[in-house]
Amino acid sequence: MKKRLGSQTARIDSKPRIVSAVSMVGPKEGRGPLKDYFDIILSDDMNGEESFEKAESNMLYTVITEVIKKSNLTENDIDYLFAGDLLNQITSSSFAARDAKIPFYGLYGACSTMTESLSIAAMIMDGGFADYTIAATSSHFSAAERQFRYPLEYGSQRKPDAQWTVTGAGAMLLARQGDFPYITFVTAGKVKDYGITSPDSMGEAMAPAAVDTIKQHFKDTGRTPQDYDVIATGDLGRVGKKITEDLLKKEYGYDMSNIYMDCGEKIFNCDEQDTNSGGSGCGCSAVVDCGYIYKNMLSGKIKKALLISTGALMSTTSNLQGESIPGIAHAVSIEFGGMKNE
Amino acid sequence: MKKRLGSQTARIDSKPRIVSAVSMVGPKEGRGPLKDYFDIILSDDMNGEESFEKAESNMLYTVITEVIKKSNLTENDIDYLFAGDLLNQITSSSFAARDAKIPFYGLYGACSTMTESLSIAAMIMDGGFADYTIAATSSHFSAAERQFRYPLEYGSQRKPDAQWTVTGAGAMLLARQGDFPYITFVTAGKVKDYGITSPDSMGEAMAPAAVDTIKQHFKDTGRTPQDYDVIATGDLGRVGKKITEDLLKKEYGYDMSNIYMDCGEKIFNCDEQDTNSGGSGCGCSAVVDCGYIYKNMLSGKIKKALLISTGALMSTTSNLQGESIPGIAHAVSIEFGGMKNE
């Protein structure tokens, strides 16, 4: 009966299908190397709204409604929306859920939200509680910057290992059937904290959580990196990616070279676009997973992907009170091919 | 296969048992009418910590570890922790999860978190993904006050329909078997917003969500108020409770008189304890559900309870930007008696 492998992994026997995915990004992301994979590119990151926060919420609402349309469904068909974001009290998600009128469970996993929402959606679909669910998340550079760091008007200088919060929103729609990429395993993360305190060093803070979840996924499932065409962490950036790759090889013997990418490194031409270590934010792995990964799975270029969105769970208050930055990472295994339309 | 009734309710066939519950409150709650039902009462709401936020996180960690001990289990036995709180980026939960070392999915449902976490835990247990899960949440008067309203030092005057955030934490531990109260249905809420903008009028803002979820629970399950010994909303307070009771009767014909209580009204002697409309916060329904309701179920005084924690999903930013306050409510049906130990 128990569909649990090892200590942290759930086996998703019914293989919920990701029947559509929609990604929406800001102008800067729309000039980056993955621009051809995004469904909607804003020319103005205000998105027709009067505040950054409302712009973000509207982006999330847009990808939710677009993924429903793309699946030829209506809002009434969707059993649950699982969504969260970085803003205090996840207001982007709450206001988007208000307008979407779908039963809503709000999540907070910081930048791990894309795979957190996918994980919970997959388990609840497999439990037989839903025909259709949506997993979604968003972030906005300007909203995050003024909430977590400095008002943009200060023009503060960014540190070399700092990252750039992606302006973007992504949504995936899960269904029971169809010839689409499907979820096979989800590995839940534990919170890991190695004492990093600088909010400019998110990649370093989150790397131990990524390492722990990836290692545990392999242990629980008996898989190795060679079972995947792509292993994609969420937003560790160049610095965190290197730590993760090195630690997994040195500590656990898992060699991910050639198949390992980080969405934060991939979404920008970091040097030309002045994003230092790379992209970050809930929207980073959301748009790369919903855009680049999903479309490459549909076209057959990627058959097996392990997605690991990574979150830094601090607040400005915890930071000011001297707490270090705890990280978390949730993994979802997505595969396509070898399963007939049922 | 699909275990879904109507548009918002899940039938939980395996009936996960709530094998233990632990409630912990501050000194003010410990002087209130429900004091004999709480497991731990603090004499100092700083809880030995140096900030209100750390005091809250430590309370949450304490109820998590205590509920594990009370169940004669260890942290390694717990498959998932589902928790959230009111603080920005749910730091109370994240830091508690860091110390508890349990696979963690963070939630944000504002004061609806107790039944949100119970709902997701119940579905994931029923799906066969876990033997043991914990649903938990917390709030702290002083941490919430300075985050959402004013610094305590201002000594600002409270409006007549204002509520008092409960300093409290509650945790329930779910297992597959045992002769304990069990979960039978969970009804997911939709976000409802009737245009209330004052953060002093939370009860009014949340009442429409409570009405909608309770009405939908009855429609989906075919039950009526008379099927329950107790129907308990989370923290509508005296004002919101009256609106909810009136609307359910006038609009939908459901008469809840005699069996309807609100945890926020019940936890304080509102007039004597100067809490105006009553208690609020994630901890409010958490400690009343884990204390008063759960213990009265164990003793046989309550056989069927419908718990509806209620959340106001705004932030200070959304409020300052002129947004109204969206509400949400999630319902969980808990029953005891008539089922043999399996």
Side-chain angles (χ1 to χ4, degrees):
Chain A
M1 174 67 185
K2 196 183 177 190
K3 292 175 284 189
R4 195 168 173 95
L5 305 175
S7 60
Q8 288 167 241
T9 302
R11 197 185 65 229
I12 312 294
D13 290 336
S14 66
K15 298 180 172 52
R17 317 302 199 275
I18 303 168
V19 298
S20 326
V22 171
S23 57
M24 179 176 190
V25 297
K28 187 180 181 88
E29 293 73 17
R31 290 189 301 271
L34 302 185
K35 60 180 187 290
D36 296 337
Y37 292 98
F38 301 131
D39 298 294
I40 307 166
I41 298 176
L42 287 172
S43 56
D44 173 0
D45 73 355
M46 288 303 288
N47 190 20
E49 298 285 344
E50 59 192 7
S51 72
F52 304 132
E53 292 76 14
K54 290 185 182 185
E56 179 182 333
S57 185
N58 188 279
M59 288 177 75
L60 187 54
Y61 175 73
T62 302
V63 294
I64 291 167
T65 51
E66 287 299 316
V67 85
I68 295 172
K69 273 190 227 161
K70 214 169 169 179
S71 311
N72 295 314
L73 297 168
T74 71
E75 286 162 2
N76 290 333
D77 295 315
I78 313 302
D79 295 311
Y80 297 107
L81 167 64
F82 300 97
D85 57 88
L86 283 173
L87 295 185
N88 296 343
Q89 290 72 54
I90 64 163
T91 48
S92 298
S93 304
S94 299
F95 286 101
R98 176 188 67 182
D99 297 338
K101 301 181 179 65
I102 299 167
F104 169 56
Y105 288 123
L107 309 178
Y108 187 80
C111 311
S112 73
T113 307
M114 192 67 232
T115 50
E116 181 184 0
S117 58
L118 265 183
S119 296
I120 294 180
M123 286 192 273
I124 281 178
M125 299 271 313
D126 193 64
F129 298 109
D131 287 332
Y132 300 105
T133 59
I134 292 176
T137 186
S138 63
S139 58
H140 192 294
F141 171 77
S142 303
E145 205 65 15
R146 69 176 174 181
Q147 179 180 280
F148 286 111
R149 296 183 188 86
Y150 301 98
L152 291 180
E153 293 81 356
Y154 279 14
S156 66
Q157 197 166 0
R158 303 168 66 77
K159 295 195 181 158
D161 56 348
Q163 294 180 233
W164 187 278
T165 305
V166 164
T167 298
M172 291 187 178
L173 195 147
L174 275 58
R176 300 194 159 282
Q177 297 179 319
D179 192 20
F180 297 100
Y182 48 88
I183 296 172
T184 52
F185 297 100
V186 308
T187 302
K190 290 184 181 181
V191 178
K192 294 284 159 182
D193 188 336
Y194 279 49
I196 304 279
T197 54
S198 164
D200 291 309
S201 304
M202 293 298 197
E204 293 93 310
M206 296 186 290
V211 168
D212 189 68
T213 299
I214 295 170
K215 172 262 297 176
Q216 201 59 43
H217 176 81
F218 292 143
K219 279 197 175 180
D220 290 348
T221 60
R223 291 186 169 187
T224 67
Q226 285 62 54
D227 287 309
Y228 288 101
D229 301 318
V230 167
I231 294 175
T233 48
D235 58 346
L236 300 178
R238 294 196 279 199
V239 180
K241 184 193 172 199
K242 185 162 178 2
I243 297 172
T244 300
E245 191 169 352
D246 289 352
L247 277 178
L248 277 162
K249 192 164 181 186
K250 280 183 202 156
E251 297 291 321
Y252 303 105
Y254 292 120
D255 182 358
M256 307 204 298
S257 50
N258 303 321
I259 53 157
Y260 177 38
M261 62 169 264
D262 180 72
C263 300
E265 188 189 35
K266 195 106 180 167
I267 192 169
F268 292 120
N269 287 315
C270 297
D271 293 323
E272 290 165 37
Q273 291 192 285
D274 197 24
T275 56
N276 302 23
S277 187
S280 65
C282 299
C284 180
S285 63
V287 300
V288 176
D289 293 348
C290 293
Y292 176 80
I293 301 275
Y294 185 74
K295 288 183 181 173
N296 273 316
M297 294 196 88
L298 286 183
S299 71
K301 279 187 204 143
I302 298 174
K303 289 190 169 57
K304 277 187 169 183
L306 184 66
L307 309 182
I308 310 105
S309 300
T310 39
L313 299 171
M314 91 298 178
S315 73
T316 51
T317 304
S318 70
N319 213 255
L320 288 169
Q321 292 182 357
E323 283 280 12
S324 50
I325 302 175
I328 196 159
H330 301 293
V332 175
S333 174
I334 302 179
E335 309 180 23
F336 192 37
M339 195 163 77
K340 293 282 175 199
N341 198 335
E342 289 171 25
Chain B
M1 174 68 183
K2 196 182 177 192
K3 293 174 283 190
R4 196 169 171 93
L5 305 177
S7 60
Q8 288 168 239
T9 301
R11 198 184 64 230
I12 313 294
D13 290 335
S14 66
K15 300 182 172 48
R17 318 300 199 274
I18 303 169
V19 297
S20 328
V22 171
S23 57
M24 181 176 188
V25 297
K28 189 181 180 88
E29 294 73 16
R31 290 190 300 269
L34 302 185
K35 61 180 187 291
D36 295 337
Y37 292 97
F38 301 130
D39 298 292
I40 307 166
I41 299 176
L42 287 172
S43 54
D44 174 1
D45 74 355
M46 290 303 288
N47 190 20
E49 298 285 343
E50 60 192 6
S51 74
F52 304 133
E53 292 76 14
K54 289 184 182 184
E56 178 183 334
S57 185
N58 187 279
M59 288 177 74
L60 187 55
Y61 175 72
T62 301
V63 295
I64 291 167
T65 50
E66 288 299 316
V67 84
I68 295 172
K69 273 189 228 161
K70 214 170 168 177
S71 312
N72 294 316
L73 297 168
T74 70
E75 287 163 0
N76 290 332
D77 295 315
I78 312 303
D79 295 313
Y80 297 107
L81 166 65
F82 299 97
D85 57 88
L86 283 172
L87 296 186
N88 296 343
Q89 288 73 54
I90 64 162
T91 47
S92 297
S93 304
S94 298
F95 286 100
R98 176 188 67 182
D99 296 338
K101 301 183 179 64
I102 299 168
F104 170 58
Y105 287 123
L107 309 178
Y108 187 81
C111 311
S112 73
T113 307
M114 192 67 233
T115 49
E116 180 185 0
S117 58
L118 264 183
S119 298
I120 295 180
M123 286 192 272
I124 282 179
M125 299 269 315
D126 193 63
F129 298 109
D131 288 331
Y132 300 106
T133 60
I134 292 175
T137 186
S138 63
S139 58
H140 192 294
F141 171 77
S142 303
E145 204 65 15
R146 70 176 175 182
Q147 179 180 280
F148 286 111
R149 297 184 186 88
Y150 301 98
L152 292 181
E153 293 80 356
Y154 278 15
S156 66
Q157 198 166 1
R158 304 169 66 77
K159 295 194 181 159
D161 56 348
Q163 294 180 235
W164 187 280
T165 305
V166 164
T167 298
M172 291 186 178
L173 195 148
L174 275 59
R176 299 195 159 283
Q177 297 179 319
D179 192 20
F180 298 100
Y182 48 88
I183 296 172
T184 52
F185 296 101
V186 308
T187 302
K190 290 183 181 180
V191 179
K192 294 285 158 181
D193 189 336
Y194 279 49
I196 304 279
T197 55
S198 163
D200 291 308
S201 305
M202 292 299 194
E204 294 92 311
M206 296 186 289
V211 168
D212 189 67
T213 299
I214 295 171
K215 171 262 297 175
Q216 201 59 43
H217 175 81
F218 291 142
K219 279 197 175 179
D220 290 348
T221 60
R223 291 185 170 187
T224 67
Q226 285 62 52
D227 286 309
Y228 289 101
D229 301 316
V230 167
I231 295 175
T233 48
D235 57 346
L236 301 177
R238 294 195 278 199
V239 180
K241 184 193 172 197
K242 183 162 181 1
I243 297 172
T244 301
E245 191 168 351
D246 288 354
L247 277 177
L248 276 163
K249 190 165 183 185
K250 282 183 200 154
E251 297 292 320
Y252 303 104
Y254 293 120
D255 182 357
M256 307 204 297
S257 50
N258 303 323
I259 53 156
Y260 177 39
M261 62 168 263
D262 180 71
C263 300
E265 188 190 34
K266 194 106 179 165
I267 192 170
F268 293 120
N269 287 315
C270 297
D271 294 323
E272 290 166 36
Q273 292 192 283
D274 196 24
T275 57
N276 302 22
S277 187
S280 66
C282 300
C284 180
S285 64
V287 300
V288 176
D289 293 348
C290 292
Y292 177 79
I293 301 275
Y294 185 73
K295 288 183 181 173
N296 274 316
M297 294 196 88
L298 286 184
S299 71
K301 280 186 205 146
I302 299 174
K303 289 193 170 54
K304 277 185 168 186
L306 184 65
L307 309 182
I308 311 103
S309 300
T310 39
L313 298 171
M314 92 297 178
S315 73
T316 50
T317 305
S318 70
N319 213 255
L320 288 169
Q321 293 183 359
E323 283 280 12
S324 50
I325 301 176
I328 196 158
H330 301 293
V332 176
S333 174
I334 302 179
E335 308 179 24
F336 192 37
M339 195 164 76
K340 291 284 174 198
N341 197 336
E342 289 170 24

